[in-house]
Amino acid sequence: MIPSHRSIQLFQLAKSLQDIRRITGSNLVINAARLYDFPLSTDANYLTKPRLCFYLIRTRSRDRRKVRISLVEGSFFETLRKDELLARVWDQVLDTSGIAAAERLHIVEHLASLEQEEIARSREIAQASVKPRLRLMAEVHSDAKLHAYPEIKPCTVNLVLKRETGFNEQWLQRELVKEGFQNKIVRDDDVRLVFSSENNQVELRYFVILHKRNGEHIVLQYELPNEHLTHDP
């Protein structure tokens, strides 16, 4: 859960399972993924293959009439590749120190190649009674505060994906069919996808929002039922 107004670690578009193990120091996620993905998990590149990152965001959680929940693809936040972003950060830091641009170029190249986990590692310093550590944090720019976009209505749950060529409501419908859902597209004032599984039926509003720094993103929006507003959980 990542509220958009707080400082957080750098967002990423993709991570590998190997990255997850390095970050967490645990094989728990890898073991679960291997079981779920078998036999695909027997591939030699299974641990190093990049996987899309999604971020769960919730705002106004204490106000049932204004709460918003979104599962957002990392592309909404990573509008620059992480290595390029870090290179620009180091360049600005060194610039404030007075180092000439010609000298900065070589230094920035090496600093930008450092992994975030390596930067944040605690350091043993001779004769020091503390272990210093650096930590890179990020504050979401106002243009990337999803829940400030007027299309993301109060009391909704949203799935947000980068819109690539050919990604539209028909593509979504085909993908749902692949997952075993019977569904249809309804067009009136809005485009809505209605799909069902066994005795359940869910209606999702489909639309596209324009990210001010990273192009079009698809939104599937579910409006929470009225009982969510009137009854205790």
Side-chain angles (χ1 to χ4, degrees), residues 5 9 32 35 174 179 194 210:
H5 64 279
Q9 291 192 23
L35 288 172
R174 289 195 299 271
E179 296 298 323
V194 180
L210 180 61

Side-chain angles (χ1 to χ4, degrees), residues 21 33-34 61 119 164 177 200 213 222:
R21 178 166 58 189
R34 275 178 166 156
S61 59
I119 296 169
E164 306 292 351
V177 169
N200 298 317
R213 295 179 175 235
Y222 173 70

Side-chain angles (χ1 to χ4, degrees), residues 127-162:
Q127 298 181 323
S129 59
V130 295
K131 295 181 181 180
R133 60 179 299 188
L134 303 175
R135 192 174 185 188
L136 287 172
M137 304 295 289
E139 182 179 350
V140 177
H141 192 283
S142 58
D143 288 348
K145 290 186 177 180
L146 174 65
H147 290 175
Y149 282 66
E151 298 92 342
I152 308 301
K153 297 179 179 180
C155 210
T156 60
V157 178
N158 305 274
L159 174 64
V160 182
L161 308 169
K162 184 76 169 68

Side-chain angles (χ1 to χ4, degrees), residues 60-97:
R60 298 294 189 95
S61 59
R62 296 182 181 180
D63 189 336
R64 296 181 180 181
R65 297 185 179 276
K66 294 183 179 180
V67 64
R68 295 167 173 84
I69 303 171
S70 296
L71 187 62
V72 190
E73 188 181 337
S75 60
F76 202 86
F77 305 106
E78 191 189 78
T79 54
L80 289 176
R81 293 194 321 271
K82 184 181 176 182
D83 56 348
E84 183 179 352
L85 176 64
L86 288 175
R88 295 190 188 186
V89 170
W90 290 123
D91 189 59
Q92 288 188 15
V93 170
L94 294 174
D95 183 43
T96 59
S97 72

Side-chain angles (χ1 to χ4, degrees), residues 100-190:
E103 298 177 47
R104 292 202 307 269
L105 184 63
H106 184 64
I107 300 172
V108 166
E109 183 180 347
H110 286 281
L111 290 175
S113 67
L114 292 173
E115 292 290 340
Q116 190 173 350
E117 293 75 26
E118 177 63 23
I119 296 169
R121 184 169 59 86
S122 296
R123 306 286 172 174
E124 289 277 1
I125 307 297
Q127 298 181 323
S129 59
V130 295
K131 295 181 181 180
R133 60 179 299 188
L134 303 175
R135 192 174 185 188
L136 287 172
M137 304 295 289
E139 182 179 350
V140 177
H141 192 283
S142 58
D143 288 348
K145 290 186 177 180
L146 174 65
H147 290 175
Y149 282 66
E151 298 92 342
I152 308 301
K153 297 179 179 180
C155 210
T156 60
V157 178
N158 305 274
L159 174 64
V160 182
L161 308 169
K162 184 76 169 68
R163 188 181 190 186
E164 306 292 351
T165 302
F167 282 20
N168 52 27
E169 60 267 35
Q170 286 80 19
W171 168 78
L172 281 169
Q173 186 180 38
R174 289 195 299 271
E175 293 302 311
L176 288 169
V177 169
K178 289 179 184 178
E179 296 298 323
F181 295 105
Q182 298 178 352
N183 65 89
K184 61 182 178 178
I185 297 176
V186 178
R187 288 179 172 85
D188 42 33
D189 293 336
D190 293 322

